[in-house]
Amino acid sequence: MKTIKLQDGERLEARQLPRQGVLPANIMQVAQDIVDDVKLRGDEALREYSEKFDGVKVDDFLVDSKLMDEALSKVDSEFVKATRKAAAQIREFHEREVEQSWFTAREDGTILGVKITPVSAAGVYVPGGRAQYPSTVLMDCIPAKVAGVDKVVMVTPPQKEGGISLYTLAAAKIAGVDDIYSVGGAQAIAALAYGTESIPKTSKIVGPGNAFVAAAKRIVSGDVGIDMVAGPSEVCVLTDASADATVVAADLMAQAEHDPLATCYLVTCDEQFAIKVQDSFEKLLSVSPREEITRASLDNQGVVVIASDMEAAIDAVNTIAPEHLELHCENAMGLLGKIKNAGAIFVGPWSSEPLGDYVAGPNHTLPTGGTAAFSNPLSVEDFVTRSSVICYTPEGLMNDAPATQTMAQAEGLWAHALSAGLRRKMINESISSYDGVDLGDINRIAWPQDLKTPSAGE
């Protein structure tokens, strides 16, 4: 791992981090071409891309729902038990996020509020490349169901033999997925965004994927809602010498084994402890079945930050703004208030990050690449819309219309002011309809007072 040693008073700079930044132009162009093609040719394009990229000829993209039921009986019973436990705890956590519509009334009778409405349909992308991710099925589908989404559809790449992982199918059944479509890549995102002959258009698309999937999500964003443009997995462990070096090494490797581009950060004030952690890698890598991927991630993307003191270490963590953060040190809970930027925070030595990946309850779809500084984990809020509700009484209108007209006049928006002014006149003069009514000085109805407009020099 690359080592950055901060001197007294020195701060970690974002430019020192091994982040790729925006998606490469060549990937964006390929994704754009695929999205445009699917918009134009629908299922025909999907079949061609499935054969080209997945090596599978697909006649019917819709997966028979019976396969989900059959999967539950075919997979190991311990997996089913674990998945049901995870699903229950994920559901329990997200049920606490549900927001109700609310209304409040002023003394003049004006009613204001927010109306909460689930999106009509949500599309969930579940990867199927280097590994199968039934946990992603749970994390991305259950919040949608808790939010009240009527139709939750899942897309996932077919495996070489043309089927879908039994673990993924079983998780989909437990999570309550309505329909599954056997298609992956940028083409699947396009199908969810615009619809094809077989696949319905959705209102929101969530879920992780490779660079082409991320690029496609960025392209369709605006035509459809997305959760985020996710990059490679990342973890940051803030630690002191009280931690066990082997455990910390395993925690870092738990992210490194996802992908050669996964990024691991170790932040500590103890340089000797950092050396012990790196020595532990070799011991653990020698028995890891994912050694090649893990080693590539640690060698090329791993970073050790040696800070001068704990305050500098925490500042470095906030600069990194990691997807996952472990506070693996003494008085971990006491440090929590100082953490500003992190997708998920694992507090104390017993809070293993993989617990959050699978069963703890909070969502594991998290902001990556430093975006935790301004964005949030996937939640029920991602699957609803909020409509402001405004209902005025005549008394309320008379209270607020003058200020409305004054502000509209200052902005030069005549019809804005007139809209409120006409209602004032109706109330003041008991006019029930303007049919046949002489409006007289229409400008005075819109702008009942003269505003002094200051000159540029005043």
Side-chain angles (χ1 to χ4, degrees):
M1 297 173 74
K2 172 186 176 183
T3 298
I4 301 172
K5 190 169 183 178
L6 303 177
Q7 303 302 320
D8 287 349
E10 186 180 5
R11 300 183 70 246
L12 180 70
E13 301 291 340
R15 58 182 171 76
Q16 296 174 275
L17 306 178
R19 284 176 170 153
Q20 303 298 319
V22 297
L23 288 162
N26 62 320
I27 289 179
M28 288 295 296
Q29 186 58 60
V30 170
Q32 183 71 66
D33 292 343
I34 292 172
V35 169
D36 290 343
D37 195 20
V38 172
K39 286 175 68 176
L40 181 66
R41 297 194 297 127
D43 283 355
E44 181 183 2
L46 292 183
R47 290 190 176 92
E48 290 181 10
Y49 290 123
S50 291
E51 187 170 0
K52 178 179 180 180
F53 297 129
D54 301 314
V56 176
K57 290 184 177 181
V58 180
D59 294 322
D60 188 359
F61 294 104
L62 180 62
V63 176
D64 190 336
S65 61
K66 293 179 181 178
L67 296 178
M68 287 191 276
D69 295 314
E70 293 173 1
L72 278 177
S73 62
K74 291 179 179 179
V75 297
D76 187 274
S77 60
E78 285 301 311
F79 170 79
V80 175
K81 182 179 177 181
T83 303
R84 290 193 187 281
K85 176 182 176 66
Q89 294 187 173
I90 294 166
R91 186 173 293 106
E92 180 184 17
F93 178 86
H94 286 293
E95 283 173 347
R96 297 176 182 273
E97 297 175 332
V98 175
E99 183 181 0
Q100 303 296 327
S101 299
W102 59 267
F103 301 92
T104 185
R106 293 176 179 166
E107 290 186 4
D108 60 18
T110 299
I111 296 175
L112 305 172
V114 173
K115 180 178 180 294
I116 305 297
T117 308
V119 300
S120 57
V124 176
Y125 188 94
V126 176
R130 289 188 176 91
Q132 301 303 312
Y133 294 104
S135 60
T136 296
V137 179
L138 304 181
M139 292 289 183
D140 289 358
C141 296
I142 289 175
K145 282 296 184 180
V146 170
V149 178
D150 285 335
K151 192 80 167 178
V152 177
V153 301
M154 187 180 97
V155 293
T156 190
Q159 295 180 315
K160 284 294 183 182
E161 62 274 17
I164 294 175
S165 162
L166 290 177
Y167 293 113
T168 299
L169 291 171
K173 179 66 178 179
I174 291 170
V177 173
D178 294 294
D179 291 317
I180 302 175
Y181 294 91
S182 182
V183 61
Q187 60 271 25
I189 299 300
L192 292 174
Y194 305 109
T196 71
E197 298 89 336
S198 298
I199 300 175
K201 171 180 167 40
T202 60
S203 302
K204 187 74 178 258
I205 301 174
V206 304
N210 63 20
F212 294 98
V213 169
K217 287 173 70 176
R218 175 169 287 178
I219 289 164
V220 304
S221 177
D223 292 334
V224 65
I226 66 168
D227 52 350
M228 63 190 76
V229 178
S233 297
E234 57 186 21
V235 67
C236 175
V237 180
L238 174 62
T239 187
D240 56 25
S242 69
D244 184 278
T246 300
V247 172
V248 171
D251 289 354
L252 293 166
M253 290 172 61
Q255 290 303 308
E257 71 176 356
H258 272 295
D259 190 301
L261 294 177
T263 307
C264 301
Y265 302 94
L266 173 61
V267 180
T268 183
C269 305
D270 190 324
E271 188 170 3
Q272 290 305 308
F273 181 79
I275 293 171
K276 288 172 65 177
V277 170
Q278 299 210 62
D279 288 342
S280 296
F281 286 142
E282 290 306 320
K283 177 175 63 176
L284 298 177
L285 282 167
S286 65
V287 293
S288 169
R290 297 176 70 83
E291 178 184 359
E292 184 177 354
I293 294 172
T294 308
R295 188 180 294 277
S297 168
L298 293 172
D299 287 349
N300 300 321
Q301 300 294 121
V303 175
V304 177
V305 178
I306 309 297
S308 56
D309 54 38
M310 186 54 73
E311 290 300 317
I314 292 171
D315 181 74
V317 167
N318 286 325
T319 296
I320 294 168
E323 177 186 16
H324 307 94
L325 171 64
E326 287 190 3
L327 301 180
H328 199 139
C329 46
E330 292 182 331
N331 190 31
M333 185 58 78
L335 300 177
L336 184 60
K338 297 181 180 181
I339 302 301
K340 298 178 180 179
N341 305 324
I345 306 170
F346 298 80
V347 183
W350 308 113
S351 305
S352 167
E353 186 277 327
L355 294 172
D357 281 345
Y358 297 115
V359 300
N363 211 282
H364 80 191
T365 300
L366 302 166
T368 61
T371 60
F374 53 82
S375 56
N376 304 306
L378 187 72
S379 72
V380 167
E381 294 176 356
D382 286 284
F383 298 100
V384 300
T385 59
R386 295 171 186 78
S387 301
S388 299
V389 177
I390 302 166
C391 178
Y392 269 87
T393 60
E395 182 183 356
L397 179 282
M398 295 301 286
N399 284 337
D400 284 1
T404 297
Q405 290 179 271
T406 298
M407 296 185 73
Q409 185 173 356
E411 294 184 354
L413 297 177
W414 181 83
H416 279 61
L418 180 64
S419 173
L422 288 172
R423 287 172 169 80
R424 288 179 70 186
K425 184 178 179 68
M426 292 180 77
I427 294 169
N428 281 328
E429 301 181 13
S430 299
I431 298 171
S432 60
S433 170
Y434 276 104
D435 292 343
V437 175
D438 181 8
L439 295 178
D441 185 0
I442 193 73
N443 283 324
R444 188 54 60 183
I445 295 175
W447 291 346
Q449 61 180 346
D450 294 326
L451 288 183
K452 180 180 182 298
T453 305
S455 63
E458 292 182 303

